[in-house]
Amino acid sequence: MSASSSNGLLLTSMSGRHDNMEAGGSSAKPEDVHPSDHHEQLEHDPDDPFDLDNTKNASADSLRRWRQASLVLNASRRFRYTLDLNKEEHYENRRRMIRAHAQVIRAALLFKLAGEQQNGFGSASSTPAISPGNFDIDLEKLVSMTRNQNMSSLQQHGGVKGVAEKLKSNLEQGIEEDEKEVTDRKIAFGSNTYPKKKGKNFFMFLWEAWQDLTLIILIVAAVTSLALGIKTEGLKEGWLDGGSIAFAVLLVIIVTAVSDYRQSLQFQNLNDEKRNIQLEVMRGGRTVKISIYDVVVGDVIPLRIGDQVPADGVLISGHSLAIDESSMTGESKIVNKDQKSPFLMSGCKVADGVGSMLVTGVGINTEWGLLMASISEDTGEETPLQVRLNGLATFIGIVGLTVAVVVLVALLVRYFTGTTQDSNGSTQFVKGKTSISDIVDDCVKIFTIAVTIVVVAVPEGLPLAVTLTLAYSMRKMMADKALVRRLSACETMGSATTICSDKTGTLTLNQMTVVETYAGGSKMDVADNPSGLHHKLVALISEGVAQNTTGNVFHPKDGGEVEISGSPTEKAILSWAYKLGMKFDTIRSESAIIHAFPFNSEKKRGGVAVLRGDSEVFIHWKGAAEIVLACCTQYMDSNGTLQPIDSQKEFFRLAIDAMAKNSLRCVAIACRTQELSQVPKEQEDLDKWTLPEDELTLLAIVGIKDPCRPGVREAVRICTSAGVKVRMVTGDNLQTAKAIALECGILSSDTEAVEPTIIEGKVFRELSEKEREQVAKKITVMGRSSPNDKLLLVQALRKNGDVVAVTGDGTNDAPALHEADIGLSMGISGTEVAKESSDIIILDDNFASVVKVVRWGRSVYANIQKFIQFQLTVNVAALIINVVAAMSSGDVPLKAVQLLWVNLIMDTLGALALATEPPTDHLMHRTPVGRREPLITNIMWRNLLVQSLYQVAVLLVLNFAGLGILGLSGDSNHAHAVEVKNTMIFNAFVMCQIFNEFNARKPDEMNVFSGVSKNPLFVAIVGITFVLQILIVTFLGEFAHTVALSWQLWLASIAIGLVSWPLAVVGKLIPVPKTPMSVYFKKPFRKYRASRNA
């Protein structure tokens, strides 16, 4: 315990900057400071259990270690939002059990759901009916066939085609796009939902809140005091002391439970949002986007790399389709799916290839649904701030316990030596005369005071203040188009020193159109006008585009406008080919794809082998223009004649460069013929066949315009001024990347665009590890990069001490998203695999939203520091006042009930007021917060000490000379005069906290009121606290040990509190050293530890 107690408070930065946050200012410009520069670096301390700078991939041992080192009075509350270390083992056991006993578990669930429905609980949609309705196959046969992966049963039903007919579904068109059709299927086969484990109700939170050891002791003390009081003074007077403490404790428990319950509801809503995946299905021949919960049996679903299989089903068709079934089987083995192995399990991921499936089982009729229904999702997770605040709480708790013991001993010694007097001036304990009952009563009061000091001193709510801030930030970030998947990402984003951003869709709008075309050996006057092209060339382009695509062209039956779906690039090319005269459905029906090589971000191209009739095989390729061009040996001219490409190759290269410089994405379309005899006959051989990619004929090169997002230039400027370097990492041509980077402001001028500032992925990957680390610092734009290049860049930057945020949307981006300190996936264009590997999902794919996340990250850290400064000021002042008073007079001016009220102001209301401060522009004028930045900066120490010393000085003067100062020394009723003085001390103390709450808002700014009108919750809480204080002092006299004060004393109390404002301004003029105080505090502990280990 002692080893940990020194360090929770005193963490310093190894790779960060100092005094640069809302709670600490720096004169250094962000661009002048590099994360590795530090005036006094402290290495990671392996002996400090709270020294965890990154919890993203922390080991279970290190997470267990800090829990064991914490001083905790209420473990169920303190560790509620931390990771359940036994969860993974439980999850694994449940998965094994479900695979072995799926039928039994499902039957039990159905029985339970039926019972709930019978009693009026639950939703009808989650309970599948046994009746098959209007369908020719019943639920049990479908479930049994899919779960047992029974091929003979599938054949008996006539294969996938037969099953589709029995389910009244069309393998190409899907089910009808009709609400009644969908409802009928839900009634017959169930919905794609599962019964969720119920969350904790409010009474559970009440139960947890009262399990605080100090509160239990106070309840026992209150009951004892109540019994003794009633016995000695009668019911009318005797219940007040014990009853007031019991009521105050009850109030603390209720307010704590309400606060915690509200937080849990917020997390629950966010988890529901995370699970609600949007996906594409075929309905009535049209591709429509629906929620995963709306998938029904009979739906036809296209599958692409990175998708999650949304339900159980059977493969209709696929090319190179590989499924990662590790989420269900527990084995990280990729399984290839074809007609011999056509069954697909819900919850698995598409690792490679393309295909389409027929849904045969949904909800709890799938193993995934059973698994989800039988485990409660663990929303807990460590965040670095939580760990560090536990260390801080432990340190303060030890100090508080020590002080409480000292006060207890001092009061007992004074009492039993006869030096303690009551309010009338009489000696409380006279040996041989004072009754046992009075002695016990007095000792209980002394003990209650000591325990109350512990309640105030041990900030049990401090680690939970992080959760409160994060819950608030997560809710607000949703409005800013960012869905947080990992809590720690919120705060880590405040430390980000570099953002590696994708180009397409993040910096650009992802609204693509073909604006330039080279076909027939020359540039076309109008990009989509076929008049100058030979019909043979147009036919080959049309076939290549129609077959080599994952998109779709839908002609509405009512003759409305054509609907084109697919990725933005696919849509642009399909739209262009349609205008050239492509007949999409006709081409797809006249020729068949016999093998496909889906687009690959490593090879930057994709291809298909198409069989025309019975004898002719054409291989169509489409991809990065310069890569496809390098594979071409001829091109087709405007007369439909094949010409050698050698003489024209330079012309095409210059055309690609010219388009790239105009920030166009260049895509080439090429083809070749293949002898049917050279195509494998057997399906197994065909699956392993590599499509020929040499001796291609160039058909066309298109330039696709994707305009920059509005506001992205300003967002990049904000990042740069905040000390966050923006790097562009794209798979596009280096010239295209450079043009967009100049447009976005990532590159300031053409002169800057030289290697290694702009670099190709291939060049970077061929460097040695040491060279990569050196070059990584200088890279601003990386073009033609593969996902592995992105991963190498992230690793090199992190080794240099950078805190790296990475955006990604593809499946292959998953390793980089996982490796980065903060992985940001794209909500619109991102695959499910990318989203699952990320920490935050950017819902609108917009770079400006990434910048908002940085603001929120900094705000989380700043708000926690504001709360720490506020809470420590209260702690220090309350402890010193009570200790000095107890030592000198044997009594304390701040009674148990009063301290519990102060604890409520400090712990719950203060946290709520300061944790919900919205982010300001001021935050983005600073450098990033270092990973191991001290939680309490020198500026915070200064503010804290100035306010604490003022409060202690004023209140101790009132305590010892208050009767004279307040003109009460001549009062004939001495006991009443003492009560007025003590009430004045209590009132002035609370006023100091109310006014100091404003100071805590702006630790390093002179104007503490700026932006206060934008936070109505803060104003409301301060107002409520003030009104409650008036009620407590004026109307709860005997209950709260107060007496009504005159208006003059109220004005005096307010004036004492008001002084804290000008005092804060004067205090901010005091200069602070750059070296953190923690460096000086930690040195003795390190020296002592080193000498002990020597």
Side-chain angles (χ1 to χ4, degrees):
M1 186 75 73
S2 59
S4 66
S5 64
S6 65
N7 298 320
L9 174 65
L10 313 169
L11 288 165
T12 51
S13 170
M14 180 176 77
S15 61
R17 298 127 168 152
H18 291 277
D19 301 334
N20 307 328
M21 61 217 83
E22 184 95 348
S26 170
S27 58
K29 290 181 182 176
E31 57 270 25
D32 297 337
V33 191
H34 188 269
S36 58
D37 300 336
H38 201 287
H39 47 265
E40 179 145 8
Q41 287 191 9
L42 282 178
E43 295 300 318
H44 166 66
D45 185 354
D47 296 320
D48 184 354
F50 300 107
D51 193 358
L52 270 181
D53 61 5
N54 189 356
T55 58
K56 186 170 175 179
N57 300 313
S59 68
D61 283 345
S62 61
L63 298 181
R64 200 170 275 114
R65 211 159 66 100
W66 77 258
R67 284 170 175 71
Q68 291 164 350
S70 295
L71 171 69
V72 180
L73 301 174
N74 185 352
S76 63
R77 184 165 183 250
R78 177 81 75 89
F79 298 138
R80 179 186 304 130
Y81 293 109
T82 56
L83 190 69
D84 181 356
L85 297 174
N86 300 320
K87 177 203 162 193
E88 279 306 310
E89 195 179 333
H90 168 69
Y91 182 86
E92 196 58 48
N93 290 340
R94 291 297 301 177
R95 183 162 54 194
R96 280 200 212 99
M97 196 171 91
I98 281 166
R99 287 206 69 90
H101 310 292
Q103 208 65 38
V104 178
I105 293 167
R106 179 170 163 271
L109 258 175
L110 284 171
F111 182 75
K112 182 185 169 194
L113 285 168
E116 283 179 356
Q117 264 195 287
Q118 195 73 31
N119 296 322
F121 303 115
S123 64
S125 62
S126 59
T127 311
I130 300 303
S131 160
N134 300 318
F135 305 100
D136 301 330
I137 185 169
D138 67 36
L139 175 65
E140 290 307 321
K141 283 179 183 172
L142 264 182
V143 171
S144 170
M145 176 186 77
T146 312
R147 179 172 296 120
N148 301 326
Q149 304 201 351
N150 191 331
M151 279 300 290
S152 62
S153 175
L154 179 64
Q155 296 307 325
Q156 282 170 17
H157 291 298
V160 67
K161 195 174 179 184
V163 171
E165 284 171 4
K166 289 181 179 181
L167 289 172
K168 296 184 168 44
S169 178
N170 184 303
L171 292 180
E172 287 175 9
Q173 307 278 314
I175 64 171
E176 285 304 312
E177 198 177 354
D178 173 47
E179 207 167 306
K180 185 181 180 302
E181 173 86 8
V182 172
T183 306
D184 288 347
R185 289 174 186 275
K186 283 184 179 179
I187 292 167
F189 301 108
S191 69
N192 203 24
T193 57
Y194 46 85
K196 291 179 199 162
K197 285 215 165 185
K198 286 178 183 171
K200 291 180 189 172
N201 59 30
F202 177 67
F203 297 103
M204 289 295 289
F205 284 95
L206 275 176
W207 172 256
E208 282 184 0
W210 93 273
Q211 285 178 36
D212 192 310
L213 181 62
T214 48
L215 294 181
I216 292 168
I217 293 170
L218 280 176
I219 290 168
V220 172
V223 171
T224 310
S225 179
L226 198 65
L228 288 167
I230 292 169
K231 184 185 171 188
T232 53
E233 298 174 42
L235 183 62
K236 193 175 179 183
E237 297 288 327
W239 73 275
L240 285 168
D241 275 350
S244 60
I245 293 169
F247 178 77
V249 169
L250 194 65
L251 189 65
V252 168
I253 289 170
I254 289 169
V255 172
T256 300
V258 169
S259 171
D260 293 348
Y261 181 59
R262 285 185 71 250
Q263 283 180 52
S264 79
L265 289 179
Q266 284 185 14
F267 284 122
Q268 206 171 309
N269 292 339
L270 285 163
N271 279 327
D272 290 344
E273 195 71 37
K274 278 191 282 189
R275 283 193 287 259
N276 188 10
I277 297 167
Q278 299 295 309
L279 53 96
E280 288 182 346
V281 300
M282 293 295 293
R283 286 191 178 168
R286 175 193 274 130
T287 305
V288 293
K289 208 155 200 174
I290 63 167
S291 162
I292 191 169
Y293 301 132
D294 295 329
V295 170
V296 291
V297 169
D299 263 328
V300 171
I301 299 176
L303 298 173
R304 302 183 187 96
I305 298 176
D307 287 352
Q308 178 174 313
V309 179
D312 280 2
V314 183
L315 182 70
I316 298 169
S317 65
H319 301 286
S320 311
L321 189 66
I323 305 291
D324 177 3
E325 294 185 347
S326 57
S327 58
M328 278 314 300
T329 62
E331 298 167 20
S332 54
K333 198 169 113 184
I334 305 296
V335 181
N336 291 308
K337 293 292 174 181
D338 50 32
Q339 298 310 321
K340 290 181 182 174
S341 174
F343 294 102
L344 297 158
M345 280 196 290
S346 177
C348 300
K349 306 287 187 302
V350 181
D352 198 6
V354 290
S356 59
M357 67 175 278
L358 175 71
V359 174
T360 58
V362 292
I364 60 162
N365 298 316
T366 70
E367 287 181 14
W368 178 255
L370 291 177
L371 181 63
M372 290 295 103
S374 62
I375 61 165
S376 56
E377 189 169 345
D378 182 20
T379 55
E381 174 215 339
E382 262 67 11
T383 80
L385 261 179
Q386 261 182 342
V387 177
R388 294 170 69 181
L389 282 171
N390 269 290
L392 179 56
T394 296
F395 178 83
I396 299 169
I398 289 168
V399 172
L401 273 174
T402 308
V403 170
V405 170
V406 169
V407 169
L408 180 65
V409 171
L411 290 177
L412 288 173
V413 167
R414 285 188 65 91
Y415 178 79
F416 285 110
T417 53
T419 50
T420 304
Q421 296 178 333
D422 61 20
S423 57
N424 296 313
S426 309
T427 303
Q428 279 190 310
F429 175 78
V430 180
K431 195 174 180 182
K433 290 186 179 178
T434 308
S435 68
I436 296 293
S437 177
D438 285 345
I439 291 170
V440 171
D441 195 24
D442 290 337
C443 286
V444 166
K445 285 176 184 173
I446 290 168
F447 184 68
T448 303
I449 289 165
V451 173
T452 312
I453 287 173
V454 177
V455 173
V456 175
V458 180
E460 200 65 21
L462 189 56
L464 272 178
V466 183
T467 319
L468 188 69
T469 308
L470 291 172
Y472 167 77
S473 301
M474 286 165 75
R475 190 161 44 87
K476 291 291 184 182
M477 283 164 79
M478 275 294 285
D480 279 343
K481 304 297 181 189
L483 171 63
V484 178
R485 296 189 75 255
R486 283 178 62 90
L487 275 178
S488 58
C490 275
E491 63 191 50
T492 311
M493 203 64 189
S495 302
T497 58
T498 186
I499 300 171
C500 298
S501 174
D502 278 344
K503 176 187 76 69
T504 307
T506 309
L507 297 168
T508 61
L509 280 169
N510 220 2
Q511 293 171 2
M512 301 193 187
T513 46
V514 174
V515 293
E516 277 190 44
T517 304
Y518 286 80
S522 62
K523 183 177 178 179
M524 289 170 62
D525 294 333
V526 180
D528 49 17
N529 183 357
S531 58
L533 301 178
H534 195 274
H535 69 87
K536 189 178 174 185
L537 176 57
V538 173
L540 279 170
I541 290 172
S542 298
E543 184 180 72
V545 172
Q547 292 287 21
N548 190 13
T549 185
T550 53
N552 187 43
V553 177
F554 175 73
H555 295 269
K557 289 172 186 172
D558 58 7
E561 200 175 323
V562 168
E563 293 175 21
I564 296 173
S565 59
S567 72
T569 308
E570 296 281 12
K571 279 162 76 174
I573 294 171
L574 282 168
S575 181
W576 166 76
Y578 178 75
K579 287 171 186 172
L580 285 181
M582 174 187 70
K583 303 273 190 298
F584 186 82
D585 292 333
T586 308
I587 292 167
R588 303 270 289 212
S589 62
E590 287 176 354
S591 57
I593 298 170
I594 54 173
H595 188 55
F597 177 82
F599 180 85
N600 184 300
S601 53
E602 293 283 345
K603 286 199 162 190
K604 308 286 182 203
R605 58 191 181 274
V608 290
V610 175
L611 179 65
R612 286 189 192 167
D614 295 327
S615 56
E616 230 178 345
V617 175
F618 268 80
I619 292 165
H620 291 277
W621 284 96
K622 178 179 72 186
E626 71 271 27
I627 293 173
V628 173
L629 180 64
C631 302
C632 293
T633 54
Q634 49 192 0
Y635 71 96
M636 185 171 282
D637 66 17
S638 54
N639 300 316
T641 311
L642 296 179
Q643 303 287 352
I645 204 166
D646 296 341
S647 59
Q648 286 288 87
K649 215 158 201 175
E650 190 58 31
F651 166 75
F652 288 124
R653 276 203 199 97
L654 290 170
I656 291 166
D657 274 350
M659 286 193 284
K661 281 174 184 169
N662 287 328
S663 65
L664 302 185
R665 170 177 275 189
C666 303
V667 176
I669 299 162
C671 72
R672 61 164 286 169
T673 55
Q674 182 78 2
E675 292 293 327
L676 188 60
S677 57
Q678 293 178 341
V679 177
K681 300 288 185 292
E682 296 298 319
Q683 186 62 46
E684 204 171 312
D685 297 329
L686 193 60
D687 289 340
K688 294 173 187 173
W689 182 43
T690 304
L691 286 181
E693 51 191 26
D694 56 343
E695 298 182 4
L696 301 184
T697 299
L698 181 68
L699 301 176
I701 298 172
V702 294
I704 302 171
K705 180 71 177 170
D706 184 12
C708 259
R709 282 185 181 274
V712 79
R713 192 178 182 89
E714 175 61 12
V716 170
R717 188 198 63 73
I718 290 169
C719 277
T720 307
S721 68
V724 182
K725 182 166 176 68
V726 180
R727 294 175 162 90
M728 182 201 287
V729 184
T730 176
D732 270 358
N733 182 306
L734 198 57
Q735 293 300 324
T736 308
K738 175 187 159 186
I740 292 284
L742 285 165
E743 205 177 324
C744 294
I746 292 172
L747 287 173
S748 53
S749 65
D750 253 332
T751 53
E752 203 186 335
V754 291
E755 201 173 291
T757 306
I758 71 166
I759 194 170
E760 273 206 355
K762 185 183 174 189
V763 176
F764 181 69
R765 106 179 55 117
E766 286 169 355
L767 297 172
S768 68
E769 192 175 332
K770 203 77 189 159
E771 286 171 329
R772 279 201 297 269
E773 284 173 36
Q774 293 301 313
V775 169
K777 297 177 196 171
K778 301 169 188 171
I779 292 173
T780 303
V781 176
M782 186 186 284
R784 281 288 174 247
S785 69
S786 68
N788 193 49
D789 298 333
K790 191 187 274 191
L791 177 62
L792 291 172
L793 179 62
V794 170
Q795 288 170 338
L797 289 168
R798 291 191 75 213
K799 280 179 186 170
N800 285 332
D802 274 297
V803 179
V804 186
V806 167
T807 71
D809 52 14
T811 304
N812 295 334
D813 287 329
L817 290 168
H818 185 265
E819 177 74 20
D821 295 284
I822 314 104
L824 303 156
S825 64
M826 298 298 116
I828 300 169
S829 60
T831 63
E832 282 311 309
V833 171
K835 288 175 188 175
E836 223 165 79
S837 300
S838 68
D839 306 304
I840 297 173
I841 300 171
I842 305 299
L843 298 173
D844 62 354
D845 291 15
N846 192 344
F847 185 77
S849 300
V850 176
V851 180
K852 287 176 186 171
V853 172
V854 175
R855 274 166 61 97
W856 278 109
R858 294 186 177 195
S859 177
V860 166
Y861 201 90
N863 286 354
I864 293 298
Q865 288 188 311
K866 292 170 190 176
F867 179 59
I868 291 170
Q869 181 182 308
F870 173 67
Q871 189 167 45
L872 286 186
T873 306
V874 185
N875 273 346
V876 171
L879 287 176
I880 293 175
I881 292 160
N882 270 8
V883 170
V884 173
M887 295 292 201
S888 56
S889 65
D891 194 15
V892 286
L894 297 172
K895 307 298 180 190
V897 177
Q898 296 168 357
L899 283 175
L900 284 170
W901 166 233
V902 168
N903 182 64
L904 202 61
I905 295 174
M906 179 181 75
D907 213 7
T908 309
L909 298 177
L912 199 60
L914 292 167
T916 54
E917 277 285 304
T920 61
D921 291 338
H922 185 64
L923 290 165
M924 297 303 281
H925 297 151
R926 305 180 175 281
T927 50
V929 178
R931 278 192 215 248
R932 300 240 266 283
E933 196 77 45
L935 272 175
I936 305 177
T937 64
N938 289 358
I939 283 175
M940 290 169 68
W941 277 117
R942 178 195 64 197
N943 298 345
L944 190 155
L945 290 171
V946 166
Q947 294 295 334
S948 298
L949 290 173
Y950 164 70
Q951 290 179 22
V952 169
V954 170
L955 299 179
L956 285 181
V957 166
L958 280 176
N959 189 55
F960 293 113
L963 293 176
I965 293 169
L966 301 173
L968 299 168
S969 49
D971 196 326
S972 57
N973 187 344
H974 183 262
H976 178 260
V978 170
E979 282 182 342
V980 171
K981 179 201 75 171
N982 284 346
T983 303
M984 181 66 188
I985 291 170
F986 167 56
N987 204 34
F989 182 63
V990 171
M991 288 302 123
C992 283
Q993 309 325 319
I994 289 174
F995 286 98
N996 192 39
E997 213 159 342
F998 284 89
N999 292 330
R1001 287 185 67 246
K1002 305 286 177 185
D1004 62 339
E1005 290 180 56
M1006 291 297 182
N1007 182 7
V1008 296
F1009 305 107
S1010 68
V1012 75
S1013 59
K1014 292 177 184 172
N1015 190 355
L1017 186 61
F1018 178 88
V1019 177
I1021 286 172
V1022 169
I1024 289 166
T1025 309
F1026 189 73
V1027 170
L1028 287 174
Q1029 179 65 13
I1030 294 171
L1031 294 174
I1032 287 167
V1033 170
T1034 310
F1035 301 108
L1036 297 178
E1038 291 181 327
F1039 196 77
H1041 298 287
T1042 59
V1043 289
L1045 296 176
S1046 64
W1047 67 268
Q1048 292 95 334
L1049 290 181
W1050 267 105
L1051 278 180
S1053 301
I1054 291 168
I1056 289 169
L1058 198 62
V1059 170
S1060 69
W1061 284 351
L1063 188 69
V1065 173
V1066 173
K1068 284 165 188 173
L1069 299 174
I1070 301 169
V1072 294
K1074 282 191 175 180
T1075 305
M1077 297 285 286
S1078 51
V1079 172
Y1080 304 115
F1081 277 122
K1082 222 171 183 187
K1083 272 182 179 173
F1085 288 102
R1086 291 207 157 192
K1087 282 178 181 174
Y1088 169 71
R1089 208 179 283 143
S1091 64
R1092 202 174 60 176
N1093 295 339

